[in-house]
Amino acid sequence: VEVVTKIPRMRAVVDELRRQGRRVGFVPTMGALHEGHLSLVRLAKQRSADVVASIFVNPKQFGPAEDLATYPRDLVRDCELLVREGVASVFAPDGDEMYPPGFATAVEVRGLSDILVGERRPGHFAGVTTVVLKLLDIVRPDFAVFGWKDAQQLVIVQRMVRDLDLPVEIVGAPTVREADGVAASSRNLHLDEPARRAAAAIHRSLQEAIRLVESGERSPQRVEEAVRAILEAEPLLAVDSVKAVGARDLAELKRLGGLVLVLVSVRVTVEGRDPVVLIDNVRIEVQEEAPPKGSP
Ligand code: AMP
């Protein structure tokens, strides 16, 4: 497999696939690959034989106090995993290739980028949309796969593609979880054993949200409170936010209906290092209730 580091070469590789009439799928990542990333590649492979994956730890989506310096990096291992999945090529540019001196442009999906995770991480989603737009324009795939694990990111990218009429389909992939229910994430590497046990409460809390909605609860506040209570019972977890919103536009709901997202962001205390931020969510299709008996 070719590891492409330069933008013109990446364009030439994809142009050649196009000339052969191939359909190109794209999976952008920041590396430190795990089963979650590989599931995206497999989903892309199911839809198209030719998959390009990118590995780029995008500095623009990290805040000044965030973990850019310590973000796990292992390009050799990542490429081995991608080869095993049968990707056509790997795009792994360096920082200067993507952002040469004087780079001054940013793309931002207003509104959606300032709420939830964006409230805690100002500028984060503008960094994401700026790099994703660049990557989509470099690779020009027919479709690109993003994980529902990062639901807000997926919704924001979908909106950018719609607003800018980008000729690409955005495909959402289900969240891959480990045996204890914790969503696969590069940041899990930082969890010690007690932190890991505490983190398992996140999935439990989201399962409780599903159970409540399925048993008829339609109040976003009551679902949020029940989720929060489960998380707060873990001394090693500090809750950043719990929110039940509309899955298409992240809008606040007076009453749960349609496709709903319950989003959780917590900080896990780990001895000897900064707390680890974990996010997770579930999507729930809320059935309209049958009208009360006797109504016309
Ligand atoms: P990252 O490398 O963290 O930027 O993630 C790259 C892509 O993998 C994003 O579209 C993520 O949503 C997706 N992803 C990360 N973790 C998971 C997971 N556990 N299940 C499914 N997709 C994931």
Side-chain angles (χ1 to χ4, degrees):
V1 76
E2 184 182 358
V3 180
V4 179
T5 59
K6 299 296 177 199
I7 292 168
R9 174 68 193 149
M10 191 65 249
R11 289 207 164 113
V13 168
V14 177
D15 282 350
E16 181 52 34
L17 290 172
R18 278 268 139 63
R19 253 193 301 279
Q20 296 167 14
R22 322 290 294 217
R23 201 173 137 72
V24 178
F26 178 46
V27 179
T29 81
M30 298 208 298
L33 301 183
H34 50 65
E35 278 299 313
H37 299 113
L38 300 182
S39 77
L40 268 49
V41 174
R42 286 173 202 143
L43 182 64
K45 286 284 289 183
Q46 279 170 15
R47 302 175 129 241
S48 152
D50 296 286
V51 175
V52 176
S54 67
I55 297 176
F56 180 62
V57 183
N58 174 33
K60 290 204 187 294
Q61 70 190 72
F62 289 80
E66 291 180 359
D67 56 350
L68 175 62
T70 58
Y71 197 84
R73 289 171 172 84
D74 193 345
L75 186 60
V76 173
R77 178 183 164 275
D78 288 346
C79 287
E80 279 168 12
L81 291 170
L82 291 170
V83 167
R84 233 178 281 163
E85 298 298 332
V87 303
S89 62
V90 178
F91 182 49
D94 68 15
D96 271 0
E97 184 69 9
M98 292 296 277
Y99 305 120
F103 185 96
T105 301
V107 186
E108 182 171 8
V109 177
R110 288 197 210 99
L112 292 181
S113 295
D114 312 323
I115 55 174
L116 301 162
V117 168
E119 207 173 325
R120 187 171 46 74
R121 304 181 73 184
H124 168 70
F125 286 117
V128 170
T129 39
T130 300
V131 82
V132 169
L133 180 59
K134 274 190 72 103
L135 290 168
L136 290 176
D137 186 58
I138 293 164
V139 177
R140 308 244 171 136
D142 295 285
F143 66 92
V145 186
F146 290 80
W148 271 110
K149 156 77 169 44
D150 301 285
Q152 187 173 5
Q153 168 173 285
L154 174 54
V155 171
I156 287 172
V157 167
Q158 273 167 337
R159 180 65 62 88
M160 173 179 76
V161 163
R162 197 182 84 183
D163 287 355
L164 300 181
D165 308 300
L166 304 180
V168 63
E169 181 192 355
I170 302 300
V171 178
T175 299
V176 170
R177 299 180 180 283
E178 292 170 5
D180 57 358
V182 175
S185 164
S186 324
R187 293 194 167 98
N188 294 349
L189 294 171
H190 301 308
L191 302 176
D192 58 14
E193 217 185 288
R196 178 76 197 206
R197 267 199 305 278
I202 300 169
H203 184 233
R204 280 206 315 279
S205 75
L206 293 171
Q207 292 300 113
E208 174 62 9
I210 295 174
R211 197 194 63 76
L212 277 173
V213 173
E214 282 177 353
S215 64
E217 184 58 78
R218 293 293 179 267
S219 153
Q221 285 77 20
R222 278 199 291 274
V223 171
E224 289 163 7
E225 278 160 21
V227 169
R228 189 177 275 276
I230 293 173
L231 297 170
E232 285 176 349
E234 293 292 333
L236 294 183
L237 297 187
V239 179
D240 278 330
S241 68
V242 176
K243 215 72 193 127
V245 296
R248 287 174 228 292
D249 54 4
L250 310 176
E252 304 246 358
L253 300 169
K254 287 204 177 64
R255 194 181 146 71
L256 298 177
L259 194 57
V260 169
L261 259 177
V262 183
L263 303 151
V264 163
S265 169
V266 299
R267 271 163 297 135
V268 192
T269 304
V270 182
E271 218 186 290
R273 59 154 292 138
D274 290 338
V276 176
V277 178
L278 297 180
I279 58 169
D280 202 344
N281 67 82
V282 283
R283 272 175 308 151
I284 312 174
E285 181 70 61
V286 180
Q287 305 297 332
E288 292 311 318
E289 279 131 293
K293 277 202 185 97
S295 65

